[in-house]
Amino acid sequence: MHSEVQLYFRKAKEEHLEDMHMLRTKILSALPGAKEGFEHGFPVYYLDGELQVGYAGRQKGLMFYVMDPNIVAAYHEDLATRITGKTCIIIKETSQTSKQTILRCIDHMLVDLMKKHVL
């Protein structure tokens, strides 16, 4: 684990830790060869030198960032109010969107990113 990411985990809110570990595992599994780094104050992952994804604990919850807004847009219908910006998804179950749905969409987004880099 990147040293700054380790420090980030040590300082993270307890409520975010389990999901942060889960996201890290999902990313490294779905994006073989991804390089872990620390930019913009949170853990990020690169493929072929390009920033692809990251996650950050924020006041309103744990955020997952996909740096390709077209990939995020493709899941807009499923994620509805969970998308809080062009590239940002909040990992927080609501009555409108289950956590299972959010995580399924994240899995698909990671596959989409990998396909983009394999082609």
Side-chain angles (χ1 to χ4, degrees):
M1 183 183 286
H2 188 279
S3 61
E4 288 178 279
V5 174
Q6 284 180 326
L7 182 59
Y8 189 79
F9 272 70
R10 283 197 298 271
K11 292 181 175 183
K13 290 183 178 181
E14 183 70 31
E15 65 196 65
H16 295 157
L17 273 177
E18 184 178 336
D19 285 339
M20 286 170 48
H21 282 289
M22 177 262 310
L23 285 174
R24 182 176 186 273
T25 300
K26 282 180 175 293
I27 292 164
L28 293 174
S29 176
L31 305 177
K35 301 293 183 215
E36 185 172 61
F38 196 82
E39 300 283 334
H40 314 292
F42 57 87
V44 295
Y45 299 84
Y46 296 87
L47 279 176
D48 302 325
E50 291 180 44
L51 181 57
Q52 299 299 312
V53 295
Y55 49 88
R58 300 289 189 231
Q59 278 299 105
K60 58 183 168 179
L62 182 62
M63 311 303 272
F64 179 70
Y65 297 91
V66 179
M67 303 311 168
D68 183 337
N70 293 322
I71 289 177
V72 176
Y75 296 90
H76 196 272
E77 186 174 317
D78 289 327
L79 294 173
T81 60
R82 301 297 84 211
I83 298 175
T84 63
K86 288 182 181 180
T87 65
C88 186
I89 300 151
I90 187 167
I91 312 292
K92 183 176 173 184
E93 186 168 3
T94 66
S95 59
Q96 298 163 337
T97 310
S98 72
K99 190 170 182 182
Q100 181 181 10
T101 298
I102 296 166
L103 296 177
R104 181 177 37 84
C105 288
I106 287 172
D107 287 340
H108 290 299
M109 288 178 193
L110 291 169
V111 168
D112 292 347
L113 283 169
M114 192 63 209
K115 284 180 184 175
K116 184 175 137 183
H117 280 271
V118 171
L119 299 176

